[in-house]
Amino acid sequence: HLMTIHKLTPSKITLIVLMGAAIAVVPALVFAPEAPVLQEFAPQQPPSQTPHAQASFPSATLQGSKGPVSVTLEIADTPEARSQGLMYRESLPENQGMLFVFEQNNQGAFWMKNTLIPLDIIFIDETKRIIEILPMDPCRTDPCALYLPPSPYRYALEVNQGFTKQYDIQIGSIVAF
């Protein structure tokens, strides 16, 4: 309502604008066929009652300044597995991660709703080049932060927070998997 806008402070107007942008983006993420589903819209059940990632455990090799490092992967390549992600997990073994695989380039956001462990997310393009690395903290209160790279990605790899710093993994590196 235009009549109430004049009573708002600049910070409230900024908040409204930001909320308006989020409202405009969220439906596209939720209803786009291959976009990652924000975990708010994912099943709110413990992992024993929800779909899991693929049972096979291939690996990926990332190149850091200290040399190559191998990560054992769980593959999330279905909408259900991508929605579940690492929600409700109490730990993630060292040098293990979850690789989110999309059939085409994606621009959807990730968040940490119902995710109990801090993670690094590594966004990877269709050439398997790292385009962004972001630390993600568990979301304890709503609204949860959104994490997305500046350009489309084909894969997203979640590992324990601090992994990318420990091995000095950099944007621009190629990931082999």
Side-chain angles (χ1 to χ4, degrees):
H1 295 70
L2 293 175
M3 293 179 13
T4 59
I5 289 177
H6 73 278
K7 296 178 184 177
L8 299 176
T9 65
S11 63
K12 289 181 183 176
I13 292 171
T14 301
L15 178 60
I16 289 170
V17 170
L18 290 174
M19 289 175 60
I23 290 167
V25 171
V26 170
L29 295 175
V30 174
F31 298 111
E34 292 305 319
V37 178
L38 293 176
Q39 291 182 0
E40 176 179 17
F41 303 102
Q44 301 294 310
Q45 303 168 359
S48 62
Q49 300 172 11
T50 56
H52 289 285
Q54 177 178 314
S56 66
F57 295 99
S59 65
T61 302
L62 294 92
Q63 187 64 43
S65 68
K66 301 175 182 182
V69 59
S70 182
V71 176
T72 302
L73 300 174
E74 291 182 61
I75 306 296
D77 60 359
T78 66
E80 296 79 17
R82 289 190 296 257
S83 294
Q84 179 66 38
L86 293 171
M87 288 181 2
Y88 303 105
R89 304 264 185 111
E90 293 181 7
S91 64
L92 183 65
E94 186 175 341
N95 291 12
Q96 185 169 321
M98 180 171 283
L99 182 68
F100 295 79
V101 179
F102 300 91
E103 290 77 23
Q104 53 190 312
N105 285 343
N106 205 307
Q107 290 187 283
F110 282 73
W111 73 354
M112 296 286 284
K113 182 85 171 190
N114 299 320
T115 305
L116 308 175
I117 51 178
L119 301 168
D120 284 345
I121 188 163
I122 303 167
F123 290 100
I124 306 163
D125 71 12
E126 70 277 357
T127 68
K128 299 185 181 174
R129 183 174 305 279
I130 297 173
I131 59 170
E132 183 68 277
I133 300 170
L134 299 171
M136 302 189 302
D137 293 315
C139 175
R140 308 247 188 257
T141 60
D142 287 325
C144 295
L146 299 177
Y147 302 93
L148 67 157
S151 58
Y153 59 92
R154 179 69 56 93
Y155 311 94
L157 174 58
E158 291 181 343
V159 292
N160 283 311
Q161 194 173 86
F163 173 88
T164 57
K165 286 188 191 277
Q166 179 181 355
Y167 293 102
D168 196 29
I169 307 298
Q170 299 292 318
I171 293 172
S173 297
I174 299 293
V175 180
F177 51 84

